[in-house]
Amino acid sequence: MEKKNIDWSNLGFGYIKTDKRYVSNFKEGKWDEGAIIDDDMIVMSECAGVLQYAQTVFEGMKAYTTEDGHIVTFRPDLNADRMETSAKRLEMPVFPKEKFLDAIDQVVAANAAYVPPFGTGASLYIRPYMFGINPVIGVKPADDYQFRVFTTPVGPYFKGGVKPLTIKVSDFDRAAPCGTGNIKAGLNYAMSLHAIVTAHKEGYDENMYLDPKTRTKVEETGGANFLFVTKDNKVVTPKSDSILPSITRRSLIQVAQEYLGLEAEEREITLEEVKDMAECGLCGTAAVISPVGKIVDHGTEICLPSGMTQMGPITQKLYDTLTGIQMGRIKAPEGWIRVIK
Ligand code: PLP
Ligand code: COI
């Protein structure tokens, strides 16, 4: 299989149409067989549930080329589980886990020419999503749904690669107490658009959202969880019911404990204690681990001791180990890597 002629090493995080996508329809209470198709366009009713009441959930994952030339995905079973949780919260049918895993395998294999070669730093981003497709005008769940998966080759999420980011403590909330912050629904991202555009206009890279109830605890950004390293080298990540349970963050806690011999803990983290942290990073599928150099709280600058030029030393070790596992340079824990071809 010949790779596409793409400048892999200079890719950003944008959409490049690939050749194939997967589609399956839910009608009369059941999912059809599903198929790989060519058409990237979707035709639906002007009154489709997704268009009127934002009934849509999605996932984000990546395929990598390993050092020995295989194409693999990273913990796709956890994406299937999370999509199930998201779908149930928005009263949507569940796309069965085995079908989900098979759909991902099929769509990645069909777009193998777009999976960036090993060593380029790029990967194939995979976007599974599901939405209500039949006309819905009274506020209620749709009856019919479509599940789709497309792929697009991507580089780093943040421009500048691993240059430490400057984060703004946001005055907006991303989620509500007892709301939908813990699921991957498009509506959460719509909520964050005004806040991110505002932050960018003011020169910040991202927002730090605080817990919507007390506004004293660190939650997450619009598209990644936070990870901190304390001055005594402990890895800590915020615990909250209104943040997305990041697969990257959960994996990094295990990497810290089992590969780096560090203490690691998920707990509530107050904004107040951030000034005492040694390192900070944003973690997620798209963000991988992007280092944070500075957090600005209404004019008060919290400068992480790791500085504005490079990742902190523990963040770097976490990054190297996680990406080493994903690209097959370091042995993965049982069940983390799914070989596609
Ligand atoms: N938080 C939000 C709001 C996200 O959109 C993402 C991305 O998926 C994450 C966290 C990171 O989650 P994961 O590591 O599973 O990609
Ligand atoms: C991901 O990391 O997969 C996400 O969905 C985050 C988004 C901001 C691209």
Side-chain angles (χ1 to χ4, degrees):
M1 174 263 320
E2 204 175 312
K3 292 282 177 191
K4 297 285 171 179
N5 183 19
I6 291 174
D7 185 5
W8 306 107
S9 303
N10 289 310
L11 283 172
F13 196 87
Y15 173 73
I16 296 172
K17 192 175 116 182
T18 59
D19 293 340
K20 306 284 179 185
R21 59 275 306 127
Y22 177 93
V23 61
S24 177
N25 288 295
F26 184 87
K27 259 188 184 309
E28 287 161 12
K30 57 177 195 303
W31 290 104
D32 68 11
E33 259 308 285
I36 293 288
I37 60 163
D38 292 332
D39 192 358
D40 61 315
M41 292 295 165
I42 302 173
V43 177
M44 67 177 90
S45 163
E46 61 188 358
C47 194
V50 60
L51 298 179
Q52 302 311 320
Y53 303 123
Q55 200 185 14
T56 177
V57 296
F58 67 102
E59 272 304 319
M61 48 212 290
K62 282 176 173 172
Y64 310 87
T65 304
T66 58
E67 195 159 23
D68 60 359
H70 290 293
I71 294 177
V72 303
T73 48
F74 181 71
R75 312 190 76 180
D77 52 318
L78 299 188
N79 294 96
D81 292 342
R82 192 168 62 189
M83 197 161 185
E84 173 169 346
T85 309
S86 301
K88 285 178 173 165
R89 179 67 175 79
L90 294 197
E91 291 293 336
M92 302 167 86
V94 171
F95 195 70
K97 189 170 189 166
E98 280 316 309
K99 276 178 81 81
F100 180 97
L101 295 171
D102 177 56
I104 303 298
D105 289 356
Q106 282 194 49
V107 78
V108 171
N111 290 298
Y114 289 94
V115 183
F118 175 79
T120 57
S123 52
L124 187 73
Y125 189 71
I126 308 165
R127 175 53 64 88
Y129 58 116
M130 190 205 293
F131 50 92
I133 198 166
N134 67 292
V136 176
I137 193 67
V139 178
K140 62 172 190 176
D143 297 314
D144 301 339
Y145 294 85
Q146 192 164 94
F147 170 87
R148 281 190 168 240
V149 190
F150 70 79
T151 62
T152 185
V154 294
Y157 187 68
F158 293 102
K159 284 193 209 84
V162 291
K163 200 179 141 292
L165 305 169
T166 302
I167 306 284
K168 174 185 174 164
V169 176
S170 183
D171 289 321
F172 297 102
D173 291 324
R174 168 187 175 276
C178 308
T180 54
N182 63 333
I183 61 160
K184 211 158 165 60
L187 58 93
N188 291 329
Y189 298 80
M191 283 278 289
S192 74
L193 295 178
H194 180 60
I196 192 64
V197 169
T198 305
H200 284 164
K201 272 190 200 148
E202 295 171 356
Y204 300 100
D205 298 299
E206 253 296 354
N207 282 303
M208 171 187 279
Y209 295 102
L210 300 178
D211 75 289
K213 206 168 192 169
T214 72
R215 304 190 64 86
T216 57
K217 290 170 272 183
V218 177
E219 292 254 297
E220 61 176 331
T221 70
N225 280 183
F226 278 101
L227 176 146
F228 296 94
V229 181
T230 63
K231 288 196 173 132
D232 55 355
N233 288 349
K234 201 164 164 185
V235 175
V236 286
T237 64
K239 187 180 171 73
S240 161
D241 291 339
S242 44
I243 65 173
L244 194 76
S246 159
I247 294 162
T248 314
R249 186 248 303 161
R250 285 180 272 162
S251 304
L252 285 169
I253 288 186
Q254 206 172 322
V255 164
Q257 291 166 333
E258 293 173 13
Y259 286 70
L260 304 179
L262 298 170
E263 266 185 71
E265 184 187 16
E266 193 190 342
R267 64 163 169 85
E268 289 187 344
I269 298 174
T270 61
L271 177 60
E272 182 56 32
E273 63 183 305
V274 168
K275 64 178 185 330
D276 300 322
M277 297 294 180
E279 300 176 33
C280 174
L282 306 185
C283 58
T285 299
V288 193
I289 312 182
S290 302
V292 172
K294 196 194 286 183
I295 298 166
V296 184
D297 176 20
H298 301 91
T300 304
E301 292 195 348
I302 304 169
C303 296
L304 278 300
S306 50
M308 290 303 289
T309 52
Q310 60 193 22
M311 278 196 192
I314 303 274
T315 309
Q316 185 73 56
K317 278 189 196 158
L318 287 166
Y319 179 94
D320 291 344
T321 313
L322 178 72
T323 54
I325 290 170
Q326 290 167 332
M327 315 256 175
R329 275 183 278 112
I330 297 174
K331 192 173 179 328
E334 185 69 30
W336 278 23
I337 298 296
R338 183 173 171 105
V339 179
I340 294 178
K341 61 191 275 179

